[in-house]
Amino acid sequence: MAYLPDESEFDCFESLPDPIVLLIFNNIADIKFLIRCRSVSKRFNSLVPQTDSVLLRVDRVISATDSEFDDGVSFVFTLFKSLYKSLQDLISPHRTSLPDPTRSQNSPTQILRGFNGIKNLRIELPSGDLRLEKGTTIKWVTRFGKTLKSCVILGFRNSVTGSEGMLDFNDNDGAGAGLGAGGGLKMRVVWTISALIAASARHYMMLDVISEQNHLTNLIVNDRENEGTVIVDKDGLQECRNLSVEEEINESSNLTEGGLWWRTNRTTVPAVTMRMRHEARMELSGGMIMEGATLVVVRPVSGGGERGEVEEKSGDIELATEAFGKEGIYAEAAERLLKSRTYILEMNSF
């Protein structure tokens, strides 16, 4: 008669081959649970660091009004440190095989050092960076290499607020007069600049992670509100790694003038062209009404000569589709706006 082991003696999970266990870990992704899995067994402790898809979710963040900052101390840097403070308790003091959870282990770079094979990394911040007037929605998607590659911004008011703040494109007096009417253009330029500053700050914060995670092929930094997304693909990551120390020092020294937090703790935004499209009122197929719907496509000024208008429009369509092509009402709004008249603005590096 064959011996049947008692259920308490048989571990089904131990019978799974390592590739299957790693596939499960990759689907879990959340670093909070992965770190806890390391305490389950010696086998799990050795396999978890090989996980190639990881989600680092931030639980809380302080506001700018929670503390005062001395001259030369960066708001973004202080904010960045506080973002990950709540992750300290993820590493149990009983796990002798893990790094000691000291107060210095607040940055994503330090948290991720226990993982040596990450290929796909997503970092989720607790909230968006922009604080807009009530009733306004803005979404942006930015792609980076060592510097900005593109940014697509979609903004609108989701309630009727009258003409105040609306962008008045009045063709009767010419494009220049229309763009300057009512202060609406200023508001949307502020949206664009704010999104670029937020994106460049997120990119700057990730440079240490990029330099240490050599297997990384895709990096996404977004927020739970899905307001903004920074994407760095395989080629962009390689550009960041090739950024020499001298270049970093030069860029840092160029940004310290003025002592403002957004100058000292973000990647420089190059000179860019902003291609803006606008509809004063847009009713979508589902019945939703967007007031002052605006689509802005931002790209660095071409160093190889000006692109033709057909090429520019084709590029706008491609970038907008990549950014919002799978997002329902935003995809529909972007598609409609791409057919609207284009207004072009240029901005110097900042």
Side-chain angles (χ1 to χ4, degrees):
M1 184 174 180
Y3 170 72
L4 296 175
D6 188 85
E7 287 186 4
S8 61
E9 299 177 14
F10 183 70
D11 187 344
C12 296
F13 227 98
E14 284 298 326
S15 65
L16 293 177
D18 288 354
I20 300 298
V21 177
L22 284 172
L23 181 62
I24 294 171
F25 288 159
N26 284 329
N27 279 277
I28 291 175
D30 194 320
I31 196 169
K32 179 186 295 186
F33 297 103
L34 290 174
I35 290 176
R36 289 172 180 169
C37 285
R38 293 192 66 175
S39 64
V40 172
S41 65
K42 289 183 179 180
R43 185 187 182 206
F44 276 25
N45 187 48
S46 65
L47 289 176
V48 166
Q50 301 176 42
T51 306
D52 61 29
S53 295
V54 171
L55 164 64
L56 176 57
R57 182 179 284 118
V58 177
D59 292 328
R60 66 185 179 90
V61 63
I62 64 171
S63 68
T65 58
D66 286 339
S67 59
E68 296 180 0
F69 305 96
D70 298 327
D71 290 341
V73 178
S74 160
F75 164 70
V76 171
F77 179 75
T78 306
L79 174 63
F80 176 63
K81 289 178 65 178
S82 69
L83 292 179
Y84 300 96
K85 188 175 181 180
S86 60
L87 291 175
Q88 293 180 46
D89 61 348
L90 297 182
I91 305 175
S92 168
H94 301 295
R95 299 174 191 163
T96 56
S97 60
L98 298 179
D100 183 40
T102 64
R103 295 181 65 183
S104 64
Q105 290 172 329
N106 296 328
S107 74
T109 306
Q110 293 163 323
I111 294 169
L112 294 169
R113 278 176 184 161
F115 294 79
N116 51 34
I118 300 176
K119 294 180 180 179
N120 302 295
L121 173 62
R122 183 161 68 91
I123 296 180
E124 184 182 272
L125 305 179
S127 63
D129 304 280
L130 310 185
R131 295 295 176 264
L132 305 173
E133 60 270 27
K134 188 176 180 180
T136 298
T137 298
I138 187 169
K139 293 174 68 68
W140 53 268
V141 178
T142 307
R143 293 181 178 272
F144 273 90
K146 68 177 181 181
T147 187
L148 177 76
K149 287 187 173 182
S150 67
C151 182
V152 184
I153 304 164
L154 177 63
F156 60 92
R157 292 178 182 274
N158 46 25
S159 61
V160 178
T161 56
S163 60
E164 182 182 355
M166 302 299 290
L167 185 57
D168 179 17
F169 288 133
N170 183 356
D171 294 334
N172 295 331
D173 297 325
L179 284 170
L185 175 63
K186 292 181 182 179
M187 180 178 66
R188 280 152 178 80
V189 169
V190 167
W191 287 0
T192 302
I193 294 174
S194 299
L196 291 173
I197 288 175
S200 61
R202 291 187 188 184
H203 177 261
Y204 180 89
M205 290 189 291
M206 293 300 106
L207 290 179
D208 284 343
V209 171
I210 293 171
S211 65
E212 291 203 5
Q213 295 292 332
N214 295 322
H215 299 285
L216 200 60
T217 59
N218 188 53
L219 171 64
I220 297 175
V221 185
N222 64 352
D223 54 83
R224 288 178 202 171
E225 297 173 358
N226 203 24
E227 175 189 273
T229 303
V230 169
I231 301 173
V232 190
D233 61 17
K234 185 176 181 180
D235 293 337
L237 290 164
Q238 191 56 51
E239 285 183 17
C240 293
R241 296 187 184 105
N242 291 339
L243 187 64
S244 69
V245 175
E246 288 185 6
E247 285 178 305
E248 291 183 14
I249 292 174
N250 289 337
E251 288 188 6
S252 177
S253 63
N254 290 335
L255 291 173
T256 53
E257 263 185 57
L260 299 175
W261 65 265
W262 55 268
R263 288 182 182 273
T264 56
N265 288 276
R266 63 175 181 82
T267 302
T268 306
V269 176
V272 296
T273 299
M274 301 186 299
R275 294 172 58 84
M276 186 179 295
R277 297 168 173 88
H278 172 79
E279 291 289 340
R281 181 182 175 88
M282 180 185 297
E283 184 171 355
L284 303 179
S285 57
M288 179 179 178
I289 296 176
M290 291 184 176
E291 301 285 348
T294 305
L295 179 71
V296 186
V297 179
V298 181
R299 279 178 286 186
V301 174
S302 175
E306 292 188 3
R307 292 180 287 257
E309 183 62 20
V310 173
E311 185 180 358
E312 291 282 5
K313 286 184 177 180
S314 175
D316 291 354
I317 293 171
E318 181 179 354
L319 290 172
T321 301
E322 286 180 354
F324 307 121
K326 298 180 180 179
E327 297 201 34
I329 59 171
Y330 304 110
E332 182 182 351
E335 183 179 358
R336 294 261 297 273
L337 286 165
L338 284 167
K339 300 175 183 177
S340 302
R341 179 175 177 179
T342 304
Y343 296 85
I344 303 172
L345 300 88
E346 291 193 356
M347 186 183 303
N348 293 330
S349 175
F350 64 95

